[in-house]
Amino acid sequence: DGGITQSPKYLFRKEGQNVTLSCEQNLNHDAMYWYRQDPGQGLRLIYYSQIVNDFQKGDIAEGYSVSREKKESFPLTVTSAQKNPTAFYLCASSGTGLNPGELFFGEGSRLTVL
Amino acid sequence: KNEVEQSPQNLTAQEGEFITINCSYSVGISALHWLQQHPGGGIVSLFMLSSGKKKHGRLIATINIQEKHSSLHITASHPRDSAVYICAVHNTDKLIFGTGTRLQVFP
């Protein structure tokens, strides 16, 4: 079955540590996205990628980094520069162009900084 | 002003009621999505629309491109419909999300 997989589901980090969240899809989608969700708030775009080896900053990219070396994979690194990293992180994928098709989301990764 | 606005923000209903959630947007779009997020956090896609109307079971979604407005209707609502419903639009190369409508359906 095609889908999008995020890991880990829960992650605890000490202040000053970098952590990497994994996002893998087997849907052959060109576009992949990372969002952050805080309690009671909507999804905010961190980074997105429309094609391999290319990605763009979203609205809240500071303190985060990504790579897109393979079409299937779009890992997100939460760096120590991110001042308030405790949040729920969601990865999504879709097609591109005038007919992007359905959106698929991972189950999310909940990051807690201790 | 947000580019995607949803109303209402919160909605409570008795089981069996007809429910409408609205979404207005101010940008050009290639598609509009209605999404459902349950308390555990996972999000599932309900509909993708670029014109007209779609129906799936008790859910109906409509879009008016000229008025830049979409509605999600739930007929014969049930407590298991309780969730956050999110409108999202595809604008050029990215998605823009509304802040969601929290629906609670009581038996």
Side-chain angles (χ1 to χ4, degrees):
Chain A
D1 285 339
I4 183 166
T5 303
Q6 279 186 247
S7 63
K9 194 166 183 178
Y10 298 95
L11 185 60
F12 298 89
R13 185 193 97 174
K14 293 182 181 178
E15 282 193 20
Q17 286 181 335
N18 292 353
V19 292
T20 297
L21 308 179
S22 168
C23 180
E24 304 275 333
Q25 52 99 359
N26 60 2
L27 300 160
N28 201 32
H29 282 164
D30 286 312
M32 296 186 75
Y33 312 83
W34 273 106
Y35 295 93
R36 170 181 171 138
Q37 188 177 42
D38 294 283
Q41 295 192 31
L43 282 77
R44 291 185 290 167
L45 180 64
I46 305 172
Y47 269 98
Y48 64 104
S49 169
Q50 297 285 101
I51 196 169
V52 175
N53 292 322
D54 187 46
F55 48 82
Q56 307 295 327
K57 290 183 179 180
D59 302 316
I60 55 165
E62 185 177 348
Y64 299 97
S65 66
V66 293
S67 63
R68 188 85 187 275
E69 295 176 2
K70 297 186 298 182
K71 188 175 186 176
E72 304 79 24
S73 178
F74 191 40
L76 173 75
T77 297
V78 185
T79 75
S80 56
Q82 168 50 235
K83 294 178 183 175
N84 186 21
T86 295
F88 186 59
Y89 292 89
L90 280 158
C91 179
S93 71
S94 75
T96 56
L98 293 176
N99 188 17
E102 193 175 341
L103 270 175
F104 285 82
F105 283 85
E107 289 292 308
S109 296
R110 194 169 297 280
L111 172 63
T112 303
V113 174
L114 304 171
Chain B
K1 190 179 190 300
N2 293 336
E3 293 166 307
V4 179
E5 297 271 2
Q6 282 185 242
S7 63
Q9 285 188 318
N10 294 284
L11 186 55
T12 57
Q14 288 296 124
E15 184 172 357
E17 285 185 6
F18 181 85
I19 288 162
T20 296
I21 300 170
N22 295 298
C23 175
S24 296
Y25 53 92
S26 58
V27 295
I29 70 169
S30 55
L32 181 142
H33 301 264
W34 280 104
L35 310 166
Q36 181 190 56
Q37 185 174 31
H38 279 281
I43 293 178
V44 295
S45 175
L46 299 174
F47 294 103
M48 187 195 74
L49 294 162
S50 53
S51 65
K53 176 180 174 178
K54 286 189 177 180
K55 183 177 191 292
H56 185 254
R58 294 181 295 106
L59 302 178
I60 303 166
T62 64
I63 187 168
N64 185 319
I65 298 295
Q66 287 73 30
E67 294 186 2
K68 295 191 172 181
H69 181 269
S70 176
S71 293
L72 176 68
H73 306 286
I74 305 175
T75 62
S77 59
H78 191 276
R80 65 174 174 267
D81 297 326
S82 298
V84 175
Y85 292 84
I86 302 169
C87 173
V89 300
H90 251 113
N91 169 248
T92 56
D93 58 352
K94 63 179 180 178
L95 291 160
I96 306 171
F97 288 79
T99 52
T101 295
R102 185 174 298 276
L103 171 65
Q104 289 184 293
V105 182
F106 295 99

